[in-house]
Amino acid sequence: MRRGWGLWAAALGVYAFLYAPLLIVIVYSFNDSRLNAEWVGFTWHWYGVLLHDEDMLQAIGNSLFIAGVSSLAATVLGTMAGIAMHRYGMKVLTFMVLTPVAMPEILLGVSLLLFFIQVLNLTLGFVSIILAHITFSIGFVAVIVRARMAGIEESIFEAARDCGATPWKTFLYITFPLILPGVVSGALMAFTLSIDDFVITFFTAGVGVSTLPLRVYSMIKIAVTPEVNAVSTLLMLLTLTMIVLATRFSPEVLRGKA
Amino acid sequence: MNSKVRSFFSRARLAKLTVSGPPFVFLLLFFLLPGIIMVIASFRYPGEFGGLAPIVSATPETLHGLTLETYRFFFGDAIYARVLFKSFLVALATTLICLALAYPLALLIARSPKKRRDFMVLLVILPFASSFLIRVYAWMILLGPQAALSQALNGVLGALGMAPVHLLFSPFAVLAAMVYVHLPFMVLPLYTNLEKHDPTLLDAAQDCGANAWHRFWRVTFPLSLPGIYSGSALVFIPVLGMFAIPDILGGTGDMLVGNLIKEQFLVTRDWPFGSTLSIMLTLTVLLCVWAAAKLGSTRGHYA
Amino acid sequence: MKTLLALGLFALCAQAVADDVLHLYNWNNYISEQTVERFEQQCGCRVVQDYYSDNEEMLAKLAAGATGYDILVPTGNAMESLIRQHALRPLDKTRLPNLKNINPVYLNTPFDPGNRYSVPYAYTLTVLGYNVEKTRELGLPTDTWAIIFEPQYLEKLKGRVTVLDSQRELMAAALKYLGYSANDTDENHWEQASRMIIRAKPYWAAFNASSYIKELTVGNIWVVHGYSNDIFQAGLDAQKAGRKFHVAASIPKEGAVLSLDSMVLHKSGPRPDLALQFIDFMLEGANSAELTNLIGSGNPNQDALRFIKPEIARNQSVFPDQRQLARLEMLRDLDRNQRRVLSRIWTKIKLE
């Protein structure tokens, strides 16, 4: 229709704006040149460098481990929170669950740094990073689970109660299967968030434990080579798969955080 | 009968405790408590070698106790208020630009047939799949002095007889990256809202003789305000505290309050002052949220 | 049962293997891989390295509770801070026969009188790096800090100068140029220096921690305030890339900062014996020279001189002569109030 033209053009422009920079990163990861300036030739060289970069591989391993553990814990806690928020309202819990998501990350990072050092006297490392990641991931999982819960007919729970099911049985046989897509989706989101997190990890990682974003950051600051592009491309592939899977399981993810 | 009701109640209460307990305790420990620690830290002295001085000390001559010193230091010089204000402006600019860019996209998605909508939204979220740092790094490449954009621009400027500009390490780079990183956060709530609009309203408006612009401005826009507010909050607040983007892409003067805070904790080792700055940032965020809520409520009937 | 046994054995082995590990916390790019490998062969152990890119980062991480490092390589003022915090182990000099190789000029610094805790490792100078052809073409003086502070010179260099993004280093250069000591803590002098910096800032391209090296090599930047080994590297890179210009460094006549990095033992390190072995290893001329040959860092080891490539040994910004040494200063640590004031001044500098 005629009236759509301007709108289409503008929207496509925005899509282009969103994707062009990323495509450049991917394209230049195959560029046979140290500088990310002009296209010289196609090469797998930088991926080879990546595979031999011990520090990078270690960082990737750390990131995967941290993401795995923290997303698991965040999913459990977040699911519980999501159910509680939907079922019981609970203003205080809702506040504590949602605020870490909405507030500037640096505040969370800094306060956790203070807490770990001053109160717990904890040496920063895996434990501190994992705890930090769980804290901000709970909110994401909770929101998705809550939305999922909202989509379930209340009458089902009433019927279960009438049949004499205990709350635990109701959860196990009714609630959980119904929200499972949301839970899986939340887990995938939590995993993605953990792998990608920079700001909070920056403050709560000690020495000795490096994650992928931290490594990329130090590479960006010190010596940029297309190896960064290579690792970025691979990371994008991974998180892309995760997000597509997440939205498959639970379209609530696409509704944004309401 | 009574004991049955009682046992049922306690079972329900137990269920409530079991479900809400663990996340509650966890967040209390790792979110609320650190926040309180930070507030207290802002009232402490800096440690001799960095960190914090103890509140109580065995040796009386070491500095200890609580003080308003850091707050006096903060308010004692206009520079810090300026940094906060600057961060506020950057956040505002980013939000407005995001709004301008996101609106057409959100509108288009909302008006597309349902089958395509989810896919289009997925396309918006996917860049979010790349790490935040990668997205910032992408702009480093785009704006680099040898990249096409810079060459083209400076070519044009050169032809017009003007001095070449550095696109990278400038406020422009910071703003561009800020918008780029936060755009999806504006699109999603906006689209969620626009999707719910009743198309018959627009038909009615058209019947009343309103042209396309009027239809948008008088009908669509006001109805979309709640979406605009959610999206704005999701962009404004994180940008306010952002430090990584000015740190990587910014020039010398592009220091925002986030950079200051990071510097206090990781360079100057002045933890009390870093905490004070963080408290000030939090208060600014709360102030903005409160102001926005006030603004939103006056237009109450569309909320 | 069998699995339990296997796990137990594995744990024991892991423990045994873990014990023969030396944890080294060092600057980025501050030791040659070959040196590390040779040491690993000699001691039959493994060296695990972590890196930092400036002293502040190292101190901040240590303050944040990083433990388990046997050896650190802090610069003088950071070491001073660590000594005062009682964070270091005193050295058992009987295990360091090669200590005699060190040039006495670098021993007995005010940070560690008598070298109770530290052994000099390497040093760098914070100097001027410049594009020889460009500066000659523009008729600019390259032996003074004025080239980065005075508008009359900066006008010709607009957008082609970078300075270090370090509070202490930039302040030190400014203070030296104004004729004060780099360790001057008079707030008025600081204010004066900051005004001069703010006046020069519009001409500078950026405050850079490390990417200035590349820019110098590529020819985008013509004058830098940077570290001698970085500038040396830039010069080599430019040569290798076949650039039509040369990159050189010079110690300005007003003086500059000498950063002496020393090896120290952190008290939380699990293997001080391995650490001492490593230090003695690094005190051998041949091993010490490898770093200098690699990155062009200054070497306080006299025995190393015969192993160093002649073009580096001749380079005055890497090995300053007596006269130049007299103009160099090492930075002292500041107390907390001074740090706070400097931080505020730095914020103003960044924001103006």
Side-chain angles (χ1 to χ4, degrees):
Chain A
M1 281 222 281
R2 233 191 99 258
R3 69 168 182 175
W5 263 123
L7 202 58
W8 261 105
L12 281 177
V14 177
Y15 270 128
F17 174 70
L18 279 176
Y19 280 92
L22 296 178
L23 288 175
I24 292 187
V25 171
I26 299 177
V27 164
Y28 275 130
S29 71
F30 298 105
N31 188 14
D32 192 7
S33 152
R34 275 205 129 221
L35 307 165
N36 278 309
E38 39 201 3
W39 180 257
V40 173
F42 184 92
T43 175
W44 287 104
H45 174 69
W46 301 110
Y47 288 91
V49 170
L50 178 59
L51 284 174
H52 286 103
D53 188 342
E54 288 266 347
D55 293 325
M56 185 65 88
L57 292 175
Q58 173 88 316
I60 294 178
N62 292 343
S63 280
L64 288 172
F65 174 70
I66 292 171
V69 175
S70 65
S71 61
L72 215 61
T75 306
V76 170
L77 290 173
T79 307
M80 293 171 125
I83 297 176
M85 279 157 62
H86 171 82
R87 172 79 47 78
Y88 306 115
M90 298 196 79
K91 286 246 178 73
V92 180
L93 181 67
T94 310
F95 169 77
M96 289 206 296
V97 166
L98 293 183
T99 316
V101 173
M103 63 190 258
E105 284 193 286
I106 192 173
L107 293 174
L108 195 58
V110 158
S111 62
L112 278 172
L113 173 67
L114 278 168
F115 181 66
F116 287 142
I117 300 302
Q118 287 297 126
V119 175
L120 296 185
N121 215 9
L122 180 72
T123 303
L124 298 182
F126 277 110
V127 177
S128 58
I129 304 179
I130 291 176
L131 288 173
H133 283 207
I134 297 176
T135 310
F136 69 74
S137 295
I138 290 184
F140 279 91
V141 179
V143 164
I144 298 177
V145 169
R146 179 174 71 167
R148 197 78 189 166
M149 287 285 291
I152 303 177
E153 289 259 345
E154 266 309 305
S155 47
I156 298 185
F157 298 116
E158 283 168 31
R161 251 201 306 270
D162 289 343
C163 289
T166 62
W168 171 245
K169 281 238 175 75
T170 315
F171 173 75
L172 200 57
Y173 293 116
I174 303 200
T175 322
F176 189 67
L178 282 174
I179 59 169
L180 188 58
V183 172
V184 173
S185 186
L188 290 169
M189 286 304 289
F191 189 87
T192 310
L193 284 170
S194 170
I195 287 230
D196 285 346
D197 181 69
F198 170 67
V199 176
I200 298 184
T201 318
F202 188 70
F203 288 99
T204 54
V207 205
V209 179
S210 190
T211 65
L212 191 50
L214 289 182
R215 195 84 191 89
V216 171
Y217 177 72
S218 60
M219 285 180 82
I220 290 179
K221 291 295 270 192
I222 297 177
V224 182
T225 64
E227 190 191 342
V228 183
N229 297 52
V231 75
S232 305
T233 308
L234 290 178
L235 187 60
M236 270 194 263
L237 267 172
L238 174 66
T239 46
L240 192 135
T241 320
M242 297 253 146
I243 291 201
V244 171
L245 281 178
T247 52
R248 275 295 142 82
F249 275 103
S250 183
E252 274 79 32
V253 170
L254 297 171
R255 290 291 172 272
K257 309 151 212 41
Chain B
M1 170 61 169
N2 254 348
S3 63
K4 224 172 167 192
V5 171
R6 218 179 301 133
S7 71
F8 176 81
F9 260 137
S10 66
R11 183 117 50 88
R13 196 113 58 79
L14 192 65
K16 179 175 177 178
L17 260 167
T18 331
V19 166
S20 61
F24 190 86
V25 169
F26 184 90
L27 287 168
L28 192 73
L29 270 180
F30 296 107
F31 173 62
L32 223 49
L33 203 52
I36 298 175
I37 302 285
M38 189 163 77
V39 175
I40 301 178
S42 68
F43 290 107
R44 290 166 68 164
Y45 288 102
E48 181 62 40
F49 307 106
L52 298 169
I55 297 184
V56 244
S57 173
T59 50
E61 68 268 7
T62 48
L63 204 54
H64 62 278
L66 299 175
T67 171
L68 282 176
E69 178 184 271
T70 25
Y71 285 94
R72 252 181 272 135
F73 185 69
F74 176 83
F75 287 109
D77 199 312
I79 189 90
Y80 298 116
R82 275 179 57 191
V83 174
L84 268 176
F85 185 63
K86 185 170 190 195
S87 312
F88 174 83
L89 286 179
V90 171
L92 193 62
T94 310
T95 311
L96 291 175
I97 299 178
C98 275
L99 188 58
L101 289 178
Y103 214 106
L105 189 55
L107 209 52
L108 186 71
I109 298 178
R111 294 204 181 148
S112 301
K114 189 132 198 349
K115 260 194 343 179
R116 258 196 274 162
R117 254 185 253 162
D118 277 353
F119 176 67
M120 292 177 89
V121 174
L122 187 64
L123 278 185
V124 172
I125 296 191
L126 280 186
F128 187 67
S130 59
S131 171
F132 152 78
L133 273 182
I134 297 174
R135 282 174 275 155
V136 174
Y137 173 59
W139 277 91
M140 263 186 97
I141 302 179
L142 262 180
L143 297 177
Q146 276 121 341
L149 190 61
S150 210
Q151 304 270 35
L153 186 64
N154 286 330
V156 170
L157 286 176
L160 293 173
M162 301 204 287
V165 279
H166 279 116
L167 284 178
L168 196 52
F169 306 129
S170 70
F172 170 75
V174 173
L175 204 55
M178 290 280 200
V179 168
Y180 185 70
V181 164
H182 293 97
L183 195 54
F185 290 104
M186 181 65 92
V187 175
L188 290 182
L190 209 50
Y191 145 73
T192 314
N193 173 291
L194 286 172
E195 180 186 41
K196 297 197 194 111
H197 287 196
D198 188 350
T200 57
L201 280 173
L202 287 173
D203 291 337
Q206 190 165 33
D207 291 339
C208 290
N211 59 27
W213 170 252
H214 267 139
R215 283 202 303 273
F216 169 74
W217 188 244
R218 292 298 194 80
V219 182
T220 313
F221 187 77
L223 282 178
S224 67
L225 276 177
I228 294 181
Y229 286 140
S230 318
S232 302
L234 286 177
V235 172
F236 191 85
I237 296 177
V239 173
L240 211 51
M242 184 69 83
F243 84 88
I245 293 181
D247 187 72
I248 298 175
L249 292 173
T252 52
D254 298 320
M255 193 185 242
L256 299 183
V257 69
N259 301 85
L260 257 184
I261 295 177
K262 171 216 166 199
E263 196 189 288
Q264 299 313 314
F265 277 98
L266 297 181
V267 178
T268 321
R269 292 169 273 143
D270 190 350
W271 288 21
F273 188 54
S275 307
T276 307
L277 283 171
S278 304
I279 303 289
M280 286 295 143
L281 174 61
T282 315
L283 288 177
T284 312
V285 169
L286 290 174
L287 195 70
C288 293
V289 167
W290 174 82
K294 264 290 163 124
L295 217 67
S297 68
T298 53
R299 298 166 171 278
H301 40 292
Y302 292 126
Chain C
M1 187 58 207
K2 257 194 276 190
T3 43
L4 224 63
L5 199 61
L7 277 171
L9 273 175
F10 181 73
L12 269 176
C13 286
Q15 183 66 2
V17 167
D19 272 350
D20 272 345
V21 177
L22 178 70
H23 287 275
L24 175 62
Y25 194 22
N26 196 0
W27 295 78
N28 261 313
N29 247 346
Y30 220 35
I31 190 166
S32 156
E33 273 315 302
Q34 295 167 315
T35 320
V36 175
E37 274 164 18
R38 269 213 311 284
F39 178 72
E40 282 180 325
Q41 282 173 348
Q42 195 194 67
C43 75
C45 63
R46 219 162 40 97
V47 176
V48 170
Q49 301 184 65
D50 278 311
Y51 311 98
Y52 52 88
S53 48
D54 68 50
N55 282 301
E56 302 299 339
E57 182 187 330
M58 184 249 309
L59 285 172
K61 296 280 180 165
L62 288 176
T67 58
Y69 289 107
D70 293 298
I71 299 190
L72 313 169
V73 189
T75 312
N77 52 330
M79 180 171 70
E80 191 180 358
S81 176
L82 288 168
I83 293 178
R84 281 174 35 207
Q85 287 175 59
H86 306 293
L88 304 177
R89 262 194 246 269
L91 296 174
D92 179 4
K93 302 246 185 82
T94 60
R95 311 266 283 271
L96 302 174
N98 287 324
L99 193 51
K100 60 182 176 354
N101 288 338
I102 297 288
N103 185 336
V105 161
Y106 297 106
L107 289 175
N108 239 335
T109 60
F111 311 115
D112 186 17
N115 286 90
R116 287 190 57 210
Y117 299 95
S118 64
V119 170
Y121 177 74
Y123 64 83
T124 51
L125 309 175
T126 315
V127 294
L128 275 178
Y130 57 94
N131 181 320
V132 176
E133 281 70 16
K134 271 291 173 193
T135 47
R136 196 183 302 155
E137 182 188 311
L138 295 168
L140 295 167
T142 54
D143 62 344
T144 161
W145 290 116
I147 192 176
I148 61 170
F149 289 125
E150 292 296 335
Q152 63 177 135
Y153 302 125
L154 286 171
E155 253 156 26
K156 302 187 201 164
L157 289 170
K158 192 162 172 56
R160 301 291 185 180
V161 180
T162 66
V163 296
L164 282 175
D165 191 11
S166 161
Q167 299 181 14
R168 300 298 311 276
E169 293 282 4
L170 187 58
M171 259 315 205
L175 287 168
K176 282 299 236 188
Y177 177 61
L178 288 171
Y180 304 125
S181 156
N183 286 311
D184 196 328
T185 54
D186 185 333
E187 218 178 298
N188 290 322
H189 296 168
W190 281 0
E191 289 288 341
Q192 191 185 355
S194 81
R195 278 196 298 275
M196 183 176 72
I197 294 174
I198 292 174
R199 185 185 63 176
K201 217 183 71 155
Y203 300 94
W204 295 339
F207 284 57
N208 250 317
S210 40
S211 49
Y212 63 92
I213 315 167
K214 188 178 83 176
E215 300 300 325
L216 198 56
T217 312
V218 166
N220 279 331
I221 296 290
W222 300 336
V223 176
V224 303
H225 163 235
Y227 296 113
S228 52
N229 53 325
D230 285 342
I231 298 171
F232 172 78
Q233 196 59 44
L236 276 185
D237 287 347
Q239 243 181 335
K240 257 192 287 188
R243 303 275 173 200
K244 297 195 208 70
F245 54 84
H246 297 89
V247 169
S250 85
I251 306 176
K253 56 182 188 235
E254 298 91 359
V257 168
L258 168 71
S259 302
L260 181 64
D261 298 313
S262 309
M263 294 180 276
V264 297
L265 296 173
H266 195 255
K267 68 178 178 200
S268 72
R271 295 300 302 271
D273 57 323
L274 279 179
L276 284 168
Q277 210 180 334
F278 181 80
I279 295 181
D280 197 52
F281 176 81
M282 290 308 295
L283 282 171
E284 282 173 36
N287 298 323
S288 173
E290 272 189 318
L291 180 65
T292 304
N293 284 331
L294 185 66
I295 67 173
S297 58
N299 202 318
N301 191 321
Q302 286 171 308
D303 189 44
L305 286 172
R306 52 196 172 104
F307 296 99
I308 295 179
K309 292 187 201 155
E311 63 265 23
I312 302 181
R314 271 198 307 255
N315 191 327
Q316 293 230 304
S317 60
V318 177
F319 288 102
D321 61 26
Q322 278 298 104
R323 194 177 42 101
Q324 287 162 324
L325 262 176
R327 295 197 294 235
L328 299 174
E329 271 190 278
M330 291 195 266
L331 288 176
R332 305 293 303 268
D333 201 17
L334 298 172
D335 73 29
R336 65 176 135 214
N337 286 322
Q338 291 163 339
R339 279 204 302 269
R340 194 174 264 184
V341 171
L342 184 60
S343 158
R344 183 179 59 206
I345 293 181
W346 186 246
T347 310
K348 288 213 189 130
I349 289 177
K350 286 282 182 105
L351 243 63
E352 288 299 340

